[in-house]
Amino acid sequence: MARRLRIGIDTGGTFTDVVAIDEDTGELFTTKTPSTPADPAEGFADAARKVLRLAGADASALTAVSHGTTVATNQLLEDRLDDLGFITTEGFEFLLEIARQSVPDGYGNSYFWVKPPRIVPVHRVRTVGGRLDHTGAELRPFDEESAAAAARWFRDRGIRAIGVCFLHSYANPAHELRMREVLAREHPEAVVSLSCEVLREYREYERSVTTLVDAAVKPTMSRYLARLSGLLPAPLRVMKSNGGVLSAEEVVHQPITTVLSGPAAGALGAAYVAAAEGRRSVVTLDGGGTSTDVAVVLDGEPTLTTEGAVGRHPVKIPMIDIVTVGAGGGSIAWISPEGTLKVGPRSAGADPGPLCYGRGGTEPTVTDAHAALGRIPPHLLGGEIPLDVAAARAGVEALGAELGLSGDRAAAGVLEISAWNQANAIRRITVERGLDVRDFPLVAFGGSGPLLACRLLDLLGLPAAVIPADPGSLSAFGLLTVDVKNDYVRTHVARDAEVDLSALGAVYAELEGRAADALEREGFPPERQRFARSADLRYHGQAFEVRVAAPDGPVDDAFRAEVVRRFHDAHEALYGYCYRGDPGRHPVEWVNLRVSGIGPITRPRLRERPPGDGNPERARTGVRDVYFEGWARTPVYRRDRLARDDVLHGPAVIEEFGSTVPLHPGYQARVDAHGNLVITKEETP
């Protein structure tokens, strides 16, 4: 019988990972190829062809393709936002210049901080007459003449990507819709993003920047997805930052939703694997070639935020709460002007890559340090990429000479700094969110994620580290576990004591209607559609809100009371106090209402493995010199030969196609029922 394959392809900075699942048998096929930064579509096609060969099938076997992409993210990080204009309400042309008064790292560390350049310089801002109040009522009519003049101004200067954000358009989109009509007439080549469609939520600065980011990446994403759609004869879905996927046809209308596409897939894949073994709350660490992405999973779900940023641009869309640091395998080790050793955030990437790749790299990297210390094999991807270990050693020895250290000490120092960079990222996502990091096992994956797992257990006091099977491809596997998901929001400010329940119900009904329409376009009939409500609340006088889940069913007094109760509980958990019994002095205020429309997909089943014979030595392939506290002859094991309940004791090195686990002295690794390696510190007598 011909295979039916669903595949997930995750494009990273260094490698493109791919996983295919046979929809009839559940068999998984995983592999990876080097990324092609100059043309990511080429790496996408290479990965698809490679996994099809592995499965013994051709493109006609494909039923669907899910994709995690960094195209939008990279454009923002590299500030390639040249062809961009902004239209806003008359009198508010300096909205982007004023921005917010927040300063990175606090005023104490930022005496000389200067505001970065605005996403759109003030000379590319045009204003249009007309004004709404905060309820959406029209104070002054839309000025068609100034709107046409603005459209012609951009047309005459060849500015084609335009964001439109009028004051209070979250309450009434009429003026923005009129502006789009004018642009279509006067400047038909323009690519337009309206804030009422991108983010129908108050706070003009964040809404404006979010809309402009959407407009900036829309042309690039449209071209990229159009090319991908022509490469494979199967429906293409793209991973979104909120933990869902959406068809390529829909994503081109909301490309900003893909800005954390790849890291989101990894966090979801890690959550899925951990939950199968009963670990519902974990820290996930996705170590790639360019960076490391860290997230928290609580009760089976990665935590979400709308207070994110990509590079210097605040992006107020629902996204998995991820902290990213420049601590990947390709992160470059360098010496600061003060004479101290630094690691990252600059990366050698896939091209030219680390010194040991032999492709023209000139600076030592984290991967070079691992190679020089014997912690990774002298090849990657099962021998597909041979490594020049001598070049790696020469690079770290030259670095050490500048510091007055031996090559071994310099390489160990590079890895220690990289481990601390990752540990600090984990602290930011846990301790700074009010969580005790010692309560969370670590799920480490990605090509470089497991390399420092033992050291992270030591630095943070984590109870265990879980290394999934095929950790280098877990982000691609995560793409196969993700539901179709779209988010809708509406600002509706009202004090709880005076809230109009019928108005709340009407807003939720409208948002659910929009979500249902989108799911139907994605092929989900009404009986397969699910909706998740939530609400942002605060105490009157506070500047920011707390989001809580809202129950299904009628929007009545019981609904209102339950949401408010959840808000008090969440506020107390976050900040250590609440005003539950004092509604007179500290009234609760409703701010934003939200609905997520969800189309469930069929997830792959993780197979349990049979127990082995109790002798892990069957997996031993040899020994080599590895540096931990010093050099020692260290046994090397092939992971695919390990069986359930096998236990290995450090020092040891466990190798597989896409990743390597150096097991430090004093640690042990046990293979669980699903083939994960569970690393714990050994009991000291």
Side-chain angles (χ1 to χ4, degrees):
M1 187 176 70
R3 288 192 185 275
R4 296 189 312 122
L5 297 174
R6 183 156 52 97
I7 67 174
I9 301 177
D10 176 56
T11 301
T14 305
F15 288 104
T16 295
D17 305 325
V18 57
V19 173
I21 182 171
D22 188 309
E23 301 221 63
D24 299 309
T25 67
E27 189 176 2
L28 287 172
F29 304 91
T30 67
T31 188
K32 57 172 56 191
T33 63
S35 292
T36 52
D39 182 5
E42 184 179 331
F44 175 96
D46 289 344
R49 286 191 289 263
K50 189 174 181 181
V51 82
L52 286 171
R53 287 196 302 270
L54 194 63
D58 59 29
S60 64
L62 295 176
T63 60
V65 180
S66 294
H67 180 39
T69 174
T70 57
V71 168
T73 310
N74 291 343
Q75 183 180 351
L76 296 173
L77 291 175
E78 295 168 20
D79 269 337
R80 291 184 279 111
L81 308 173
D82 299 331
D83 186 20
L84 189 58
F86 182 40
I87 299 175
T88 190
T89 301
E90 186 178 42
F92 287 82
E93 60 267 35
F94 297 109
L95 187 155
L96 299 176
E97 296 294 320
I98 296 169
R100 296 291 182 199
Q101 69 175 11
S102 56
V103 173
D105 303 320
Y107 285 96
N109 297 323
S110 305
Y111 293 117
F112 305 106
W113 179 76
V114 177
K115 277 187 181 181
R118 302 298 92 194
I119 186 171
V120 176
V122 70
H123 68 272
R124 285 192 174 205
V125 178
R126 299 290 99 181
T127 64
V128 172
R131 185 70 178 269
L132 306 171
D133 70 11
H134 70 284
T135 69
E138 188 174 80
L139 300 177
R140 290 197 300 273
F142 178 75
D143 185 346
E144 188 100 11
E145 185 176 336
S146 63
R152 289 192 291 267
W153 190 90
F154 288 116
R155 180 197 64 197
D156 295 344
R157 285 154 182 79
I159 298 171
R160 297 181 180 180
I162 299 172
V164 180
C165 182
F166 291 148
L167 204 65
H168 302 307
S169 58
Y170 58 85
N172 181 354
H175 286 190
E176 287 193 357
L177 297 174
R178 293 271 303 279
M179 188 67 230
R180 178 158 61 192
E181 293 172 0
V182 172
L183 283 163
R185 184 182 72 236
E186 302 287 345
H187 189 5
E189 293 184 352
V191 175
V192 181
S193 292
L194 305 182
S195 77
C196 64
E197 295 177 343
V198 174
L199 182 67
R200 200 161 170 181
E201 186 177 333
Y202 87 137
R203 292 198 173 101
E204 311 306 317
Y205 173 67
E206 288 79 6
R207 186 155 50 89
S208 297
V209 175
T210 303
T211 302
L212 287 164
V213 166
D214 186 78
V217 301
K218 194 173 282 185
T220 305
M221 284 296 294
S222 297
R223 290 191 297 269
Y224 176 66
L225 293 177
R227 184 171 178 199
L228 293 191
S229 297
L231 291 175
L232 299 173
L236 175 64
R237 285 178 172 156
V238 181
M239 184 74 203
K240 298 170 62 180
S241 311
N242 67 353
V245 291
L246 204 60
S247 67
E249 294 80 9
E250 291 288 326
V251 162
V252 294
H253 301 301
Q254 42 182 296
I256 191 175
T257 61
T258 69
V259 292
L260 287 177
S261 180
L268 285 159
Y272 187 73
V273 168
E277 283 293 320
R279 299 179 179 90
R280 304 272 303 166
S281 296
V282 296
V283 171
T284 72
L285 184 142
D286 181 358
T290 304
S291 63
T292 294
D293 304 305
V294 178
V296 170
V297 175
L298 295 177
D299 196 25
E301 295 289 338
T303 55
L304 293 173
T305 182
T306 55
E307 303 299 327
V310 181
R312 61 184 177 88
H313 308 295
V315 179
K316 196 173 173 62
I317 59 169
M319 59 178 67
I320 291 176
D321 193 3
I322 292 171
V323 170
T324 299
V325 291
S331 295
I332 291 170
W334 53 286
I335 298 174
S336 73
E338 296 78 25
T340 58
L341 179 62
K342 304 281 187 179
V343 178
R346 284 193 306 120
S347 173
D351 187 15
L355 293 170
C356 58
Y357 280 21
R359 296 179 184 165
T362 58
E363 298 174 280
T365 66
V366 172
T367 296
D368 292 314
H370 282 294
L373 298 181
R375 296 192 189 180
I376 59 175
H379 54 75
L380 297 179
L381 305 190
E384 291 183 23
I385 301 179
L387 299 183
D388 186 345
V389 177
R393 286 182 178 147
V396 295
E397 284 172 0
L399 183 74
E402 291 188 60
L403 295 165
L405 298 173
S406 68
D408 297 343
R409 291 288 303 279
V414 169
L415 299 187
E416 182 72 358
I417 292 170
S418 185
W420 275 100
N421 288 342
Q422 294 182 2
N424 288 335
I426 293 172
R427 286 193 179 99
R428 285 172 57 192
I429 205 74
T430 53
V431 177
E432 292 186 14
R433 308 293 199 270
L435 303 171
D436 189 337
V437 66
R438 296 168 296 183
D439 294 337
F440 294 86
L442 176 73
V443 181
F445 58 98
S448 68
L451 289 169
L452 296 171
C454 290
R455 186 63 182 130
L456 290 173
L457 293 189
D458 212 25
L459 292 176
L460 297 170
L462 303 169
V466 179
I467 315 298
D470 296 311
S473 301
L474 190 69
S475 290
F477 172 80
L479 289 164
L480 303 179
T481 72
V482 179
D483 295 326
V484 172
K485 185 179 179 185
N486 239 335
D487 297 305
Y488 301 89
V489 61
R490 178 71 55 80
T491 292
H492 185 90
V493 180
R495 293 200 189 187
D496 181 59
E498 304 160 3
V499 70
D500 182 342
L501 293 175
S502 63
L504 285 188
V507 173
Y508 274 121
E510 181 192 341
L511 297 179
E512 287 171 2
R514 292 179 61 195
D517 291 342
L519 289 173
E520 195 163 343
R521 291 195 300 271
E522 293 285 315
F524 292 89
E527 63 272 14
R528 291 185 60 203
Q529 298 175 1
R530 292 196 296 110
F531 305 101
R533 295 171 174 171
S534 58
D536 300 347
L537 288 81
R538 66 188 177 194
Y539 294 116
H540 179 66
Q542 288 183 326
F544 291 94
E545 304 80 45
V546 174
R547 182 170 310 158
V548 295
D552 297 327
V555 179
D556 53 17
D557 278 323
F559 170 93
R560 181 200 59 77
E562 176 61 17
V563 173
V564 171
R565 182 192 68 77
R566 293 178 183 182
F567 164 68
H568 289 309
D569 291 346
H571 196 282
E572 187 167 24
L574 282 169
Y575 303 114
Y577 72 95
C578 70
Y579 296 116
R580 193 186 312 271
D582 194 6
R585 293 178 57 198
H586 300 283
V588 172
E589 196 167 49
W590 296 68
V591 180
N592 298 311
L593 309 181
R594 301 178 185 271
V595 167
S596 295
I598 301 167
I601 63 153
T602 302
R603 289 177 168 81
R605 292 183 179 178
L606 296 176
R607 296 177 175 178
E608 289 200 11
R609 301 193 179 188
D613 57 11
N615 180 18
E617 289 304 302
R618 85 182 82 76
R620 186 162 170 168
T621 59
V623 295
R624 70 165 175 262
D625 290 331
V626 180
Y627 186 98
F628 290 108
E629 286 92 356
W631 288 98
R633 297 293 286 171
T634 302
V636 179
Y637 297 86
R638 267 186 55 174
R639 184 169 178 181
D640 59 351
R641 295 180 185 173
L642 293 172
R644 177 176 175 175
D645 298 326
D646 281 348
V647 178
L648 297 177
H649 301 275
V653 175
I654 306 163
E655 297 177 353
E656 58 185 305
F657 175 78
S659 190
T660 301
V661 182
L663 190 64
H664 289 224
Y667 288 84
Q668 70 171 29
R670 178 181 59 83
V671 182
D672 70 13
H674 291 100
N676 304 305
L677 289 175
V678 182
I679 299 174
T680 54
K681 209 164 189 176
E682 293 190 306
E683 299 283 337
T684 53

